[in-house]
């Protein structure tokens, strides 16, 4: 485990390799320690990155009442919710790499969990954990999720599927102060990450999206993956209405003076 080739390349080009090395233990093989287990047990939202039955990468929301995520062992995470029929990851095959980010907006806290999807059916999912570590609260917008008390997760109905963004999709994106990104690496597997900024920080240009890269912990997990494999999957959530927008495409990093300036996705 540890940093993979793309992460090392971006850290080196950005001139932060020595700072990143101090955080290298975060990227080592990890477990769901007691504090992490307590955090995920209280969560209502996680975001999963995996591939559908056709091999396309997607990032999907997983919602439920506290307790729907449970560390049954230090290396096994049980997810007691099914992926709805409307979701592109419905029926996803097990045995593949999986990336998960668990987030609590009210506490401004997030944890990334990477591993292998060991089990997936109508009863839920299970991930065998390789990495588990927290990220700083930077750019996490404070908000409270309200789910129906009797529901394990909200119903989702497909309203559109296509290859071009509609005007209403563009408006949803440009109102967003939060989105989630899925990336992949051929040996390190899939990864899910949170991106935040002021409302409007993601720009729509025809069939492309662009957003700035804000300084974080200098690990460059997502950008490192994109350096090796440009595949990207995005998830936008309109929190007042519950509408979700899931995109799958390719991303290009933009550099300026040897600093990552942003990403362009089409």
């Amino acid at each position: 485990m540890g940093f993979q080739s793309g992460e090392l390349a971006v850290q080196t080009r950005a001139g932060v390799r020595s700072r990143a090395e101090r955080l290298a233990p975060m990227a080592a093989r990890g477990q769901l320690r007691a504090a992490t287990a307590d955090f995920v047990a209280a969560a209502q939202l996680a975001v999963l990155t995996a591939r559908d039955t056709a091999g396309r990468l997607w990032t999907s929301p997983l919602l439920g009442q506290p307790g729907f995520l449970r560390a049954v062992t230090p290396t096994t995470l049980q997810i007691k919710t099914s992926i709805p029929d409307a979701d592109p990851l419905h029926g996803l095959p097990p045995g593949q790499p999986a990336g998960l980010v668990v987030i609590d907006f009210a506490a401004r806290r997030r944890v990334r969990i990477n591993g292998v999807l060991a089990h997936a059916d109508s009863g839920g999912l299970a991930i065998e954990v390789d990495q588990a570590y927290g990220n700083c609260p930077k750019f996490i917008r404070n908000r409270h999720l309200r789910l129906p008390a009797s529901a394990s997760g909200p119903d989702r109905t497909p309203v559109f599927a296509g290859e071009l963004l509609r005007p209403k999709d563009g408006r949803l994106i440009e109102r967003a102060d939060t989105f989630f990104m899925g990336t992949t690496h051929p040996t390190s597997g899939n990864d899910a990450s949170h991106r935040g900024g002021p409302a409007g920080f993601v720009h729509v240009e025809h069939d492309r999206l662009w957003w700035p890269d804000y300084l974080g912990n200098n690990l460059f997990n997502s950008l490192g993956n994109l350096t090796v494999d440009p595949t990207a999957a995005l998830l936008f959530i309109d929190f007042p209405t519950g509408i979700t927008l899931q995109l799958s495409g390719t991303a290009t990093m933009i550099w300026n003076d040897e600093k990552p300036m942003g990403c362009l996705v089409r």
Side-chain angles (χ1 to χ4, degrees):
M1 303 299 288
F3 293 129
Q4 41 91 334
S5 57
E7 293 165 340
L8 293 172
V10 178
Q11 292 165 11
T12 299
R13 183 169 177 178
V16 298
R17 180 75 176 272
S18 61
R19 278 178 275 174
E21 282 296 332
R22 291 196 289 270
L23 299 176
M26 289 174 56
R29 186 173 296 279
Q31 295 185 343
L32 300 171
R33 303 187 185 278
T36 302
D38 290 343
F39 171 72
V40 300
Q44 294 180 287
L45 171 64
V47 173
L48 172 71
T49 297
R51 294 186 183 273
D52 65 14
T53 54
R56 178 175 284 275
L57 194 73
W58 293 98
T59 295
S60 297
L62 304 174
L63 298 104
Q65 296 299 322
F68 90 102
L69 299 172
R70 186 166 73 94
V72 293
T73 75
T75 57
T76 303
L77 179 69
Q78 184 180 71
I79 305 172
K80 287 255 179 138
T81 190
S82 59
I83 297 179
D85 295 353
D87 193 286
L89 285 182
H90 175 74
L92 82 170
Q96 63 168 304
L100 195 76
V101 58
V102 183
I103 191 163
D104 182 337
F105 289 104
R108 299 185 64 239
R109 186 180 173 194
R110 56 191 166 181
V111 168
R112 290 166 87 151
I113 299 170
N114 296 332
V116 175
L117 184 66
H119 174 80
D121 61 22
S122 59
L125 314 171
I127 295 177
E128 291 301 320
V129 177
D130 286 330
Q131 292 175 304
Y133 57 93
N135 283 156
C136 71
K138 221 172 183 182
F139 307 117
I140 299 179
R141 171 72 179 271
N142 184 283
R143 56 169 43 96
H144 292 268
L145 299 180
R146 293 179 176 84
L147 302 182
S150 61
S152 60
D155 294 332
R156 295 173 62 200
T157 302
V159 295
F160 174 76
E163 297 181 352
L164 295 174
L165 291 173
R166 302 169 300 169
K168 63 172 63 177
D169 300 325
R171 290 192 293 271
L172 187 157
I173 292 168
E174 293 189 326
R175 291 195 305 267
D177 57 30
T178 297
F179 74 94
F180 298 90
M181 178 165 66
T183 56
T184 188
H185 186 275
T187 58
S188 295
N190 300 329
D191 180 78
S193 67
H194 158 271
R195 289 289 187 273
F201 79 110
V202 184
H203 308 276
V204 180
E205 300 175 0
H206 303 294
D207 63 340
R208 298 182 178 189
L209 309 183
W210 181 90
W211 66 89
D213 182 70
Y214 297 129
L215 290 177
N217 55 18
N218 294 314
L219 298 184
F220 294 120
N221 304 119
S222 299
L223 299 190
N225 285 349
L226 294 177
T227 298
V228 178
D229 186 328
T231 305
L234 308 184
L235 166 67
F236 290 86
I237 303 175
D238 183 47
F239 290 96
T241 65
I243 292 172
T244 60
L245 174 64
Q246 290 162 269
L247 308 175
S248 183
T250 57
T252 302
M253 290 176 55
I254 301 168
W255 290 81
N256 182 24
D257 296 330
E258 298 308 303
K259 299 293 182 185
M261 178 181 167
C263 282
L264 182 68
V265 175
R266 66 174 300 173

Coordinates of all heavy atoms in Angstrom, one line a residue, residues 124-209:
G124 N -28.0 -5.8 0.6 CA -27.0 -4.9 1.0 C -25.6 -5.2 0.4 O -25.5 -6.0 -0.5
L125 N -24.6 -4.5 0.9 CA -23.2 -4.6 0.3 C -22.3 -4.9 1.5 O -22.6 -4.7 2.7 CB -22.8 -3.4 -0.4 CG -23.8 -2.7 -1.3 CD1 -23.2 -1.3 -1.7 CD2 -24.0 -3.5 -2.6
A126 N -21.1 -5.4 1.1 CA -20.0 -5.6 2.1 C -18.7 -5.2 1.4 O -18.5 -5.7 0.3 CB -20.0 -7.0 2.7
I127 N -17.9 -4.5 2.1 CA -16.6 -4.1 1.6 C -15.5 -4.6 2.5 O -15.5 -4.4 3.7 CB -16.4 -2.6 1.5 CG1 -17.4 -2.0 0.5 CG2 -15.0 -2.2 1.1 CD1 -17.4 -0.5 0.3
E128 N -14.5 -5.4 1.9 CA -13.3 -5.8 2.6 C -12.3 -4.6 2.5 O -11.9 -4.2 1.4 CB -12.8 -7.0 2.0 CG -13.6 -8.3 2.3 CD -13.8 -8.6 3.8 OE1 -12.9 -8.4 4.6 OE2 -15.0 -8.9 4.1
V129 N -11.9 -4.1 3.7 CA -11.2 -2.8 3.7 C -9.7 -2.9 3.5 O -9.1 -3.8 4.2 CB -11.5 -2.1 5.1 CG1 -10.7 -0.8 5.2 CG2 -13.0 -1.8 5.2
D130 N -9.2 -2.1 2.6 CA -7.7 -2.0 2.5 C -7.2 -0.7 3.1 O -6.1 -0.7 3.7 CB -7.3 -2.1 1.0 CG -7.4 -3.5 0.4 OD1 -7.3 -4.4 1.2 OD2 -7.7 -3.5 -0.8
Q131 N -7.9 0.4 2.9 CA -7.5 1.7 3.4 C -8.7 2.3 4.1 O -9.9 2.2 3.6 CB -7.1 2.6 2.3 CG -5.8 2.2 1.6 CD -5.4 3.1 0.5 OE1 -6.2 3.3 -0.4 NE2 -4.3 3.8 0.5
A132 N -8.5 3.0 5.2 CA -9.5 3.8 5.9 C -8.8 5.0 6.6 O -8.0 4.8 7.4 CB -10.3 3.0 6.9
Y133 N -9.2 6.2 6.2 CA -8.5 7.4 6.8 C -9.4 8.6 6.7 O -10.2 8.7 5.7 CB -7.1 7.6 6.2 CG -7.1 7.8 4.7 CD1 -7.2 9.1 4.2 CD2 -6.9 6.8 3.9 CE1 -7.1 9.3 2.8 CE2 -6.9 6.9 2.5 CZ -7.0 8.2 2.0 OH -6.9 8.4 0.6
G134 N -9.3 9.5 7.6 CA -10.1 10.7 7.6 C -9.4 11.8 6.7 O -8.2 11.8 6.5
N135 N -10.2 12.7 6.3 CA -9.8 13.9 5.6 C -10.1 15.1 6.4 O -11.1 15.1 7.2 CB -10.4 14.0 4.2 CG -9.8 13.1 3.2 OD1 -10.4 12.7 2.2 ND2 -8.5 12.6 3.4
C136 N -9.4 16.2 6.1 CA -9.7 17.5 6.9 C -11.1 18.0 6.5 O -11.7 17.6 5.5 CB -8.6 18.5 6.6 SG -8.8 19.2 4.9
P137 N -11.7 18.9 7.4 CA -13.0 19.4 7.1 C -13.1 20.5 6.1 O -14.2 21.0 5.9 CB -13.4 19.9 8.5 CG -12.1 20.3 9.1 CD -11.1 19.3 8.7
K138 N -12.0 20.8 5.4 CA -12.0 21.9 4.5 C -13.0 21.7 3.4 O -13.2 20.6 2.8 CB -10.6 21.9 3.8 CG -10.0 23.3 3.6 CD -8.6 23.2 3.2 CE -8.0 24.6 3.0 NZ -6.6 24.5 2.5
F139 N -13.8 22.8 3.1 CA -14.8 22.9 2.0 C -16.0 22.0 2.3 O -16.7 21.7 1.3 CB -14.1 22.6 0.7 CG -12.9 23.4 0.4 CD1 -11.6 22.8 0.3 CD2 -13.0 24.8 0.3 CE1 -10.5 23.6 0.0 CE2 -11.9 25.6 0.1 CZ -10.6 25.0 -0.1
I140 N -16.2 21.4 3.5 CA -17.4 20.7 3.8 C -18.5 21.7 4.2 O -18.3 22.4 5.2 CB -17.2 19.6 4.8 CG1 -16.2 18.6 4.4 CG2 -18.5 18.9 5.1 CD1 -15.9 17.5 5.4
R141 N -19.5 21.8 3.5 CA -20.6 22.8 3.8 C -21.5 22.2 4.9 O -21.9 21.1 4.8 CB -21.4 23.0 2.5 CG -22.7 23.8 2.7 CD -22.5 25.2 3.0 NE -23.7 25.9 3.1 CZ -24.4 26.5 2.2 NH1 -24.0 26.4 0.9 NH2 -25.5 27.1 2.4
N142 N -21.7 23.0 5.9 CA -22.5 22.6 7.0 C -24.0 22.5 6.6 O -24.6 23.5 6.1 CB -22.4 23.6 8.2 CG -23.2 23.1 9.4 OD1 -24.4 23.2 9.5 ND2 -22.5 22.5 10.4
R143 N -24.6 21.3 6.7 CA -26.0 21.1 6.4 C -26.5 19.9 7.2 O -25.7 19.1 7.6 CB -26.2 21.0 4.9 CG -25.4 19.9 4.2 CD -25.9 19.6 2.8 NE -26.2 20.7 2.0 CZ -25.3 21.3 1.1 NH1 -24.1 20.8 1.0 NH2 -25.6 22.3 0.4
H144 N -27.8 19.8 7.3 CA -28.4 18.7 8.0 C -29.2 17.9 7.0 O -30.1 18.4 6.3 CB -29.3 19.2 9.1 CG -28.5 19.8 10.2 ND1 -28.0 19.1 11.3 CD2 -28.1 21.1 10.4 CE1 -27.3 19.9 12.1 NE2 -27.4 21.1 11.6
L145 N -29.0 16.6 7.0 CA -29.8 15.7 6.1 C -31.0 15.2 6.9 O -30.9 14.9 8.1 CB -29.0 14.5 5.7 CG -27.8 14.7 4.9 CD1 -27.1 13.4 4.6 CD2 -28.1 15.5 3.6
R146 N -32.2 15.2 6.2 CA -33.4 14.7 6.9 C -34.0 13.6 6.0 O -34.5 13.9 5.0 CB -34.4 15.9 7.1 CG -33.9 17.0 8.1 CD -34.9 18.1 8.2 NE -34.5 19.1 9.2 CZ -33.6 20.0 9.0 NH1 -33.1 20.2 7.8 NH2 -33.3 20.9 10.0
L147 N -33.9 12.4 6.5 CA -34.5 11.3 5.9 C -35.7 10.8 6.6 O -35.8 10.9 7.8 CB -33.5 10.1 5.8 CG -32.1 10.4 5.2 CD1 -31.3 9.1 5.2 CD2 -32.3 10.9 3.8
P148 N -36.7 10.2 5.9 CA -37.9 9.7 6.6 C -37.5 8.7 7.6 O -36.7 7.8 7.3 CB -38.7 9.1 5.4 CG -38.2 9.8 4.2 CD -36.8 10.1 4.4
A149 N -38.1 8.7 8.8 CA -37.7 7.8 9.9 C -37.9 6.4 9.6 O -37.2 5.5 10.0 CB -38.4 8.2 11.2
S150 N -38.9 6.1 8.7 CA -39.3 4.7 8.5 C -38.6 4.1 7.3 O -38.7 3.0 6.9 CB -40.8 4.6 8.2 OG -41.2 5.4 7.1
A151 N -37.8 5.0 6.6 CA -37.2 4.5 5.3 C -35.7 4.2 5.5 O -35.0 4.8 6.2 CB -37.3 5.6 4.2
S152 N -35.3 3.1 4.9 CA -33.8 2.8 4.8 C -33.1 3.7 3.9 O -31.9 3.8 3.9 CB -33.6 1.3 4.5 OG -34.2 1.1 3.2
G153 N -33.8 4.3 3.0 CA -33.2 5.2 2.0 C -34.4 5.7 1.1 O -35.4 5.0 0.9
P154 N -34.2 6.9 0.5 CA -35.3 7.4 -0.3 C -35.5 6.7 -1.6 O -34.6 6.1 -2.2 CB -34.9 8.9 -0.6 CG -33.4 8.8 -0.5 CD -33.1 7.8 0.5
D155 N -36.8 6.6 -2.1 CA -37.1 6.1 -3.4 C -36.4 6.9 -4.4 O -36.3 8.1 -4.3 CB -38.6 6.0 -3.6 CG -39.2 5.0 -2.7 OD1 -38.6 4.1 -2.2 OD2 -40.4 5.2 -2.3
R156 N -36.0 6.3 -5.5 CA -35.4 7.1 -6.6 C -36.0 6.6 -7.9 O -36.1 5.4 -8.2 CB -33.9 6.9 -6.7 CG -33.2 7.5 -5.4 CD -31.7 7.1 -5.4 NE -31.0 7.7 -6.5 CZ -29.9 7.3 -6.9 NH1 -29.3 6.3 -6.3 NH2 -29.3 7.8 -8.0
T157 N -36.4 7.5 -8.7 CA -37.1 7.2 -10.0 C -36.3 7.9 -11.1 O -36.0 9.1 -11.0 CB -38.5 7.8 -10.0 OG1 -39.3 7.2 -8.9 CG2 -39.2 7.4 -11.3
P158 N -35.9 7.1 -12.2 CA -35.2 7.7 -13.3 C -36.0 8.7 -14.0 O -37.2 8.4 -14.4 CB -34.8 6.5 -14.1 CG -35.8 5.5 -13.8 CD -36.2 5.7 -12.4
V159 N -35.5 9.9 -14.3 CA -36.2 10.9 -15.1 C -35.6 11.2 -16.4 O -36.2 11.7 -17.3 CB -36.4 12.2 -14.3 CG1 -37.3 11.9 -13.1 CG2 -35.1 12.8 -13.9
F160 N -34.3 10.8 -16.6 CA -33.6 11.1 -17.8 C -32.3 10.3 -17.8 O -31.6 10.1 -16.8 CB -33.2 12.6 -17.9 CG -32.4 13.0 -19.1 CD1 -32.9 13.0 -20.4 CD2 -31.0 13.2 -18.9 CE1 -32.1 13.3 -21.5 CE2 -30.2 13.6 -20.0 CZ -30.8 13.6 -21.3
A161 N -31.9 9.8 -19.0 CA -30.6 9.2 -19.3 C -30.2 9.6 -20.7 O -31.0 9.5 -21.6 CB -30.6 7.7 -19.1
G162 N -29.0 10.1 -20.9 CA -28.5 10.5 -22.2 C -27.0 10.8 -22.2 O -26.3 10.4 -21.3
E163 N -26.6 11.4 -23.3 CA -25.1 11.6 -23.5 C -24.8 13.1 -23.5 O -23.7 13.5 -23.6 CB -24.7 11.0 -24.8 CG -24.8 9.5 -24.8 CD -24.3 8.8 -26.1 OE1 -24.0 9.6 -27.0 OE2 -24.2 7.6 -26.1
L164 N -25.9 14.0 -23.4 CA -25.6 15.4 -23.4 C -26.3 16.0 -22.2 O -27.4 15.5 -21.7 CB -26.2 16.1 -24.6 CG -25.5 15.7 -26.0 CD1 -26.2 16.3 -27.1 CD2 -24.0 16.1 -26.0
L165 N -25.7 17.0 -21.6 CA -26.4 17.7 -20.5 C -27.5 18.6 -21.0 O -27.4 19.3 -22.0 CB -25.4 18.6 -19.8 CG -24.2 18.0 -19.0 CD1 -23.2 19.0 -18.6 CD2 -24.8 17.2 -17.8
R166 N -28.6 18.5 -20.2 CA -29.8 19.4 -20.5 C -29.6 20.7 -19.8 O -28.8 20.8 -18.8 CB -31.1 18.7 -20.0 CG -31.4 17.4 -20.6 CD -32.5 16.7 -19.9 NE -32.2 16.5 -18.5 CZ -33.0 16.1 -17.5 NH1 -34.3 16.0 -17.8 NH2 -32.7 16.0 -16.3
P167 N -30.3 21.8 -20.2 CA -30.1 23.0 -19.5 C -30.4 22.9 -18.0 O -29.7 23.6 -17.2 CB -31.2 23.9 -20.2 CG -31.3 23.4 -21.6 CD -31.1 21.9 -21.4
K168 N -31.4 22.1 -17.6 CA -31.7 22.0 -16.2 C -30.6 21.3 -15.5 O -30.3 21.5 -14.3 CB -33.0 21.3 -16.0 CG -33.1 19.9 -16.4 CD -34.4 19.2 -16.0 CE -35.6 19.9 -16.6 NZ -36.9 19.2 -16.2
D169 N -29.9 20.4 -16.1 CA -28.7 19.7 -15.5 C -27.6 20.8 -15.3 O -27.0 20.8 -14.2 CB -28.2 18.6 -16.4 CG -29.2 17.5 -16.7 OD1 -30.0 17.2 -15.8 OD2 -29.2 17.0 -17.8
G170 N -27.4 21.6 -16.3 CA -26.4 22.7 -16.1 C -26.7 23.6 -15.0 O -25.8 24.0 -14.2
R171 N -28.0 23.9 -14.8 CA -28.4 24.8 -13.7 C -28.2 24.2 -12.4 O -27.7 24.8 -11.4 CB -29.8 25.3 -13.9 CG -30.1 26.2 -15.1 CD -31.4 26.8 -15.0 NE -32.5 25.9 -15.2 CZ -33.0 25.5 -16.4 NH1 -32.5 26.1 -17.5 NH2 -34.0 24.7 -16.6
L172 N -28.5 22.9 -12.3 CA -28.2 22.1 -11.0 C -26.7 22.1 -10.7 O -26.3 22.4 -9.5 CB -28.7 20.7 -11.1 CG -28.7 19.8 -9.9 CD1 -29.8 18.7 -10.1 CD2 -27.4 19.2 -9.6
I173 N -25.9 21.9 -11.7 CA -24.4 21.9 -11.4 C -23.9 23.2 -11.0 O -23.1 23.3 -10.0 CB -23.7 21.4 -12.7 CG1 -24.0 19.9 -13.0 CG2 -22.2 21.6 -12.6 CD1 -23.6 19.5 -14.4
E174 N -24.4 24.3 -11.6 CA -23.9 25.6 -11.3 C -24.4 26.2 -10.1 O -23.9 27.2 -9.6 CB -24.1 26.5 -12.5 CG -23.2 26.1 -13.7 CD -23.3 27.1 -14.9 OE1 -24.3 27.7 -15.1 OE2 -22.2 27.2 -15.6
R175 N -25.4 25.6 -9.5 CA -25.9 26.0 -8.1 C -25.1 25.2 -7.0 O -25.2 25.6 -5.9 CB -27.4 25.7 -8.0 CG -28.3 26.5 -8.8 CD -29.8 26.4 -8.2 NE -30.2 25.0 -8.2 CZ -30.9 24.4 -9.2 NH1 -31.2 25.0 -10.3 NH2 -31.3 23.1 -9.0
A176 N -24.4 24.2 -7.4 CA -23.9 23.3 -6.4 C -22.7 23.9 -5.6 O -21.9 24.6 -6.2 CB -23.4 22.0 -7.1
D177 N -22.6 23.6 -4.3 CA -21.5 23.9 -3.5 C -20.7 22.6 -3.1 O -19.8 22.6 -2.4 CB -21.9 24.7 -2.3 CG -22.9 24.0 -1.4 OD1 -22.9 22.8 -1.4 OD2 -23.7 24.7 -0.7
T178 N -21.3 21.5 -3.6 CA -20.7 20.2 -3.2 C -20.9 19.2 -4.4 O -22.0 19.2 -5.0 CB -21.5 19.6 -2.0 OG1 -21.2 20.5 -0.9 CG2 -21.0 18.2 -1.7
F179 N -19.9 18.4 -4.6 CA -20.2 17.2 -5.5 C -19.2 16.1 -5.1 O -18.3 16.3 -4.3 CB -20.1 17.5 -7.0 CG -18.7 17.8 -7.5 CD1 -18.0 16.7 -8.1 CD2 -18.1 19.0 -7.5 CE1 -16.7 17.0 -8.6 CE2 -16.8 19.3 -8.0 CZ -16.1 18.2 -8.6
F180 N -19.4 14.9 -5.6 CA -18.5 13.8 -5.3 C -17.9 13.3 -6.6 O -18.6 13.3 -7.7 CB -19.3 12.7 -4.6 CG -19.9 13.1 -3.3 CD1 -21.2 13.7 -3.2 CD2 -19.2 13.0 -2.1 CE1 -21.7 14.1 -2.0 CE2 -19.7 13.4 -0.9 CZ -20.9 14.0 -0.9
M181 N -16.7 12.8 -6.5 CA -16.0 12.4 -7.7 C -15.4 11.0 -7.5 O -14.8 10.7 -6.5 CB -14.8 13.3 -8.1 CG -14.0 12.9 -9.3 SD -13.0 14.2 -10.0 CE -11.8 14.4 -8.7
G182 N -15.6 10.1 -8.5 CA -15.0 8.8 -8.5 C -13.9 8.7 -9.5 O -14.0 9.2 -10.6
T183 N -12.8 8.1 -9.1 CA -11.7 7.9 -10.0 C -11.1 6.5 -9.8 O -11.6 5.8 -8.9 CB -10.5 8.9 -9.7 OG1 -10.1 8.8 -8.3 CG2 -11.0 10.3 -10.0
T184 N -10.2 6.1 -10.6 CA -9.7 4.7 -10.6 C -8.2 4.6 -10.9 O -7.7 5.5 -11.6 CB -10.6 3.8 -11.5 OG1 -10.2 2.5 -11.3 CG2 -10.3 4.2 -13.0
H185 N -7.6 3.6 -10.4 CA -6.2 3.3 -10.7 C -6.1 1.8 -11.0 O -6.7 1.0 -10.3 CB -5.3 3.7 -9.5 CG -3.8 3.6 -9.8 ND1 -3.2 2.4 -9.6 CD2 -2.9 4.5 -10.2 CE1 -1.9 2.6 -9.9 NE2 -1.7 3.8 -10.2
P186 N -5.3 1.4 -12.0 CA -5.2 0.0 -12.4 C -4.8 -1.0 -11.3 O -5.2 -2.1 -11.3 CB -4.3 0.0 -13.6 CG -3.5 1.2 -13.5 CD -4.4 2.2 -12.9
T187 N -4.0 -0.5 -10.3 CA -3.6 -1.4 -9.3 C -4.1 -1.0 -7.9 O -4.3 -1.9 -7.0 CB -2.0 -1.5 -9.2 OG1 -1.5 -0.2 -9.0 CG2 -1.5 -2.1 -10.5
S188 N -4.4 0.3 -7.7 CA -4.9 0.7 -6.4 C -6.4 0.7 -6.3 O -6.9 0.9 -5.2 CB -4.3 2.1 -6.1 OG -2.9 2.1 -6.0
G189 N -7.1 0.5 -7.4 CA -8.5 0.4 -7.3 C -9.3 1.7 -7.5 O -8.8 2.7 -7.9
N190 N -10.6 1.6 -7.1 CA -11.5 2.8 -7.2 C -11.4 3.6 -5.9 O -11.2 3.2 -4.8 CB -12.9 2.3 -7.5 CG -13.0 1.5 -8.8 OD1 -12.2 1.7 -9.7 ND2 -13.9 0.5 -8.8
D191 N -11.8 4.9 -6.1 CA -11.7 5.9 -5.0 C -12.9 6.8 -5.2 O -13.3 7.2 -6.3 CB -10.4 6.6 -5.1 CG -10.3 7.7 -4.0 OD1 -10.0 7.3 -2.9 OD2 -10.5 8.9 -4.3
A192 N -13.5 7.2 -4.0 CA -14.5 8.2 -4.0 C -14.1 9.4 -3.2 O -13.5 9.2 -2.1 CB -15.8 7.6 -3.4
S193 N -14.3 10.6 -3.6 CA -13.9 11.8 -2.9 C -14.9 12.9 -2.9 O -15.8 12.9 -3.8 CB -12.6 12.4 -3.5 OG -12.8 12.9 -4.8
H194 N -14.8 13.8 -2.0 CA -15.7 14.9 -1.8 C -15.1 16.1 -2.4 O -13.9 16.3 -2.2 CB -16.1 15.1 -0.4 CG -16.6 16.5 0.0 ND1 -15.7 17.5 0.3 CD2 -17.8 17.0 0.0 CE1 -16.4 18.6 0.6 NE2 -17.7 18.3 0.4
R195 N -15.8 17.0 -3.1 CA -15.3 18.3 -3.6 C -16.3 19.3 -3.1 O -17.5 19.2 -3.3 CB -15.2 18.3 -5.1 CG -14.0 17.4 -5.6 CD -12.7 18.1 -5.3 NE -11.6 17.4 -5.9 CZ -10.9 16.4 -5.4 NH1 -11.3 15.8 -4.3 NH2 -9.8 15.9 -6.0
G196 N -15.8 20.4 -2.6 CA -16.7 21.5 -2.2 C -16.1 22.9 -2.5 O -14.9 23.0 -2.7
G197 N -16.9 23.9 -2.5 CA -16.5 25.2 -2.7 C -17.7 26.2 -2.7 O -18.8 25.7 -2.4
P198 N -17.5 27.4 -3.0 CA -18.6 28.3 -3.1 C -19.6 27.9 -4.2 O -19.2 27.3 -5.2 CB -18.0 29.7 -3.4 CG -16.7 29.4 -4.0 CD -16.2 28.1 -3.4
A199 N -20.9 28.2 -4.0 CA -21.9 27.8 -5.0 C -21.5 28.4 -6.3 O -21.1 29.6 -6.4 CB -23.3 28.3 -4.6
G200 N -21.5 27.6 -7.4 CA -21.0 28.1 -8.7 C -19.6 27.8 -9.0 O -19.1 28.2 -10.1
F201 N -18.9 27.1 -8.1 CA -17.5 26.8 -8.4 C -17.3 25.8 -9.5 O -16.2 25.7 -10.1 CB -16.7 26.4 -7.1 CG -16.9 25.0 -6.7 CD1 -15.8 24.1 -6.8 CD2 -18.1 24.5 -6.2 CE1 -16.0 22.7 -6.4 CE2 -18.2 23.2 -5.8 CZ -17.2 22.3 -5.9
V202 N -18.3 25.1 -9.9 CA -18.2 24.2 -11.1 C -18.9 24.9 -12.2 O -20.0 25.4 -12.1 CB -18.9 22.9 -10.8 CG1 -18.8 21.9 -12.0 CG2 -18.4 22.2 -9.5
H203 N -18.2 25.0 -13.3 CA -18.6 25.7 -14.5 C -19.0 24.7 -15.6 O -18.3 23.7 -15.8 CB -17.5 26.7 -15.0 CG -17.0 27.6 -14.0 ND1 -17.6 28.7 -13.6 CD2 -15.9 27.4 -13.1 CE1 -16.9 29.3 -12.6 NE2 -15.9 28.5 -12.3
V204 N -20.1 25.0 -16.3 CA -20.5 24.2 -17.4 C -20.2 24.9 -18.8 O -20.6 26.0 -19.0 CB -22.0 23.9 -17.3 CG1 -22.5 23.1 -18.5 CG2 -22.4 23.3 -16.0
E205 N -19.5 24.1 -19.6 CA -19.2 24.6 -21.0 C -19.6 23.6 -22.0 O -18.9 22.7 -22.3 CB -17.7 24.9 -21.1 CG -17.2 26.0 -20.1 CD -15.7 26.2 -20.1 OE1 -15.0 25.5 -21.0 OE2 -15.2 27.0 -19.4
H206 N -20.8 23.7 -22.5 CA -21.4 22.8 -23.5 C -21.5 21.4 -22.8 O -22.2 21.2 -21.8 CB -20.6 22.8 -24.8 CG -20.5 24.1 -25.4 ND1 -21.6 24.8 -25.9 CD2 -19.4 25.0 -25.6 CE1 -21.2 26.0 -26.3 NE2 -19.9 26.1 -26.2
D207 N -20.7 20.4 -23.3 CA -20.7 19.1 -22.7 C -19.6 18.8 -21.8 O -19.2 17.7 -21.5 CB -20.8 18.0 -23.8 CG -19.5 18.0 -24.7 OD1 -18.8 19.1 -24.7 OD2 -19.2 17.0 -25.3
R208 N -19.0 19.9 -21.3 CA -17.8 19.8 -20.4 C -18.1 20.5 -19.1 O -18.8 21.5 -19.1 CB -16.6 20.3 -21.1 CG -16.2 19.6 -22.4 CD -14.9 20.2 -22.9 NE -14.5 19.5 -24.1 CZ -13.3 19.6 -24.7 NH1 -12.4 20.5 -24.2 NH2 -12.9 18.9 -25.8
L209 N -17.4 20.1 -18.1 CA -17.5 20.7 -16.8 C -16.0 21.1 -16.4 O -15.1 20.4 -16.7 CB -18.0 19.8 -15.7 CG -19.3 19.1 -15.9 CD1 -19.7 18.3 -14.7 CD2 -20.4 20.1 -16.2

